[in-house]
Amino acid sequence: MAVETLAEHACFGGVQGFYRHDSTVIGLPMRFGVYTPPRALAGPVPVLTFLAGLTCTEETFAIKAGAQRVAAELGLMLVTPDTSPRNTGVDGADAAWDFGTAAGFYLDATQAPWATHWRMESWLMHELPSLLAARFPVRPGAQGLFGHSMGGHGALTLALRHAGRFASVSAFAPICAPTQCPWGVKAFSGYLGDDRAAWAAHDAVELIKSGARVPPLLVDQGEADKFLAEQLKPELLQAACSATGQPLTLRRHAGYDHGYFFIASLVADHLRHHAQALRP
């Protein structure tokens, strides 16, 4: 699979790059970022993928989180996929900020007109990893996954749906129970239709209740997050994990909101959480 280099920048001894490829799964060009740490010059390194939130792109985390310095120290490759297909020509794709473009919810849509191109789970779980393995010095079997908001939902649900795939998982302010919040109901109704059983298969709380498990979770949540009560509902994740024995460290932080100042303040903790699990 050919990869087009859009830009590469020297960064803390490594390279922050942005790339594009023609996705067979999605049927359109897809963009992603990769931070390759200096340790990769000596051999393959673990891969940590970050899934961004609503309205974001493959550049958002790479530019705003300040993660490269610690990733360089720990020898972690950081991968930042885009959040949806773009320039799809689908009517209504750009009508709302929380559905359609930049709002892929990290699932494969089943409903027209979205099912043709909105196949984010297949891209992330199958096509993109193969491309990365062919193009970058990744260590086989050493994968971690984390994300923010919609991307936190994606990190939790993809890890739960693909047991054993990820050695480490974490999230910042994730949408924990999308079947029970306005963002999730809107997205699932459009992408998956009216079958709530299909919705539950993409809801972290429901997956944990049904027996799905992942490595010990680290979740950080700001107490000043304006979306906390209506959209995020970490208390439901905490209750599900407590009831089923899924290890969870849920940390609440006074004064922090939903934005990237929150992520930048805590990203080093998450990188170290993943690096410990991804050691040879």
Side-chain angles (χ1 to χ4, degrees):
M1 290 179 282
V3 177
E4 179 186 1
T5 300
L6 301 177
E8 289 185 330
H9 312 275
C11 185
F12 293 104
V15 177
Q16 175 64 59
F18 298 100
Y19 308 93
R20 178 169 54 203
H21 79 111
D22 290 328
S23 170
T24 301
V25 166
I26 287 178
L28 292 166
M30 289 297 292
R31 303 194 309 254
F32 60 97
V34 177
Y35 175 67
T36 303
R39 198 174 300 178
L41 293 172
V45 294
V47 178
L48 178 55
T49 299
F50 180 87
L51 305 180
L54 293 164
T55 76
C56 293
T57 74
E58 75 286 353
E59 294 184 335
T60 310
F61 179 84
I63 292 171
K64 291 186 174 183
Q68 291 92 342
R69 178 182 61 81
V70 178
E73 294 173 2
L74 297 172
L76 294 174
M77 180 178 293
L78 300 177
V79 175
T80 54
D82 201 356
T83 51
S84 81
R86 295 181 187 266
N87 302 313
T88 62
V90 172
D91 187 37
D94 301 317
W97 66 273
D98 57 355
F99 182 79
T101 301
F105 271 81
Y106 303 105
L107 51 76
D108 286 356
T110 59
Q111 303 299 299
W114 314 102
T116 301
H117 298 303
W118 268 257
R119 304 191 66 218
M120 293 297 290
E121 181 172 7
S122 290
W123 181 58
L124 289 167
M125 294 294 98
H126 304 296
E127 189 174 23
L128 185 58
S130 296
L131 182 151
L132 292 170
R135 174 67 169 74
F136 297 91
V138 303
R139 200 176 84 213
Q143 296 186 65
L145 187 64
F146 68 149
H148 169 234
S149 193
M150 176 186 73
H153 144 78
L156 297 177
T157 57
L158 291 177
L160 287 161
R161 286 169 57 81
H162 297 268
R165 180 73 173 269
F166 299 99
S168 56
V169 187
S170 72
F172 300 92
I175 303 171
C176 295
T179 61
Q180 300 182 58
C181 77
W183 280 341
V185 170
K186 180 176 182 177
F188 288 178
S189 297
Y191 294 138
L192 302 174
D194 297 329
D195 181 4
R196 285 190 169 257
W199 295 15
H202 297 278
D203 181 305
V205 167
E206 296 304 318
L207 286 165
I208 289 168
K209 285 181 179 179
S210 71
R213 295 290 179 270
V214 289
L217 293 172
L218 171 63
V219 174
D220 279 305
Q221 175 62 60
E223 292 285 4
D225 190 324
K226 66 181 180 180
F227 303 116
L228 175 56
E230 184 180 30
Q231 303 283 11
L232 305 179
K233 303 184 184 295
E235 69 280 0
L236 298 182
L237 178 67
Q238 188 170 36
C241 289
S242 178
T244 60
Q246 165 63 50
L248 167 68
T249 299
L250 173 62
R251 308 190 302 185
R252 294 174 176 264
H253 304 271
Y256 284 91
D257 61 21
H258 197 68
Y260 267 80
F261 293 115
F262 165 60
I263 294 174
S265 298
L266 297 164
V267 71
D269 288 356
H270 284 248
L271 295 182
R272 293 187 178 102
H273 166 81
H274 290 275
Q276 184 172 12
L278 294 170
R279 287 175 182 154

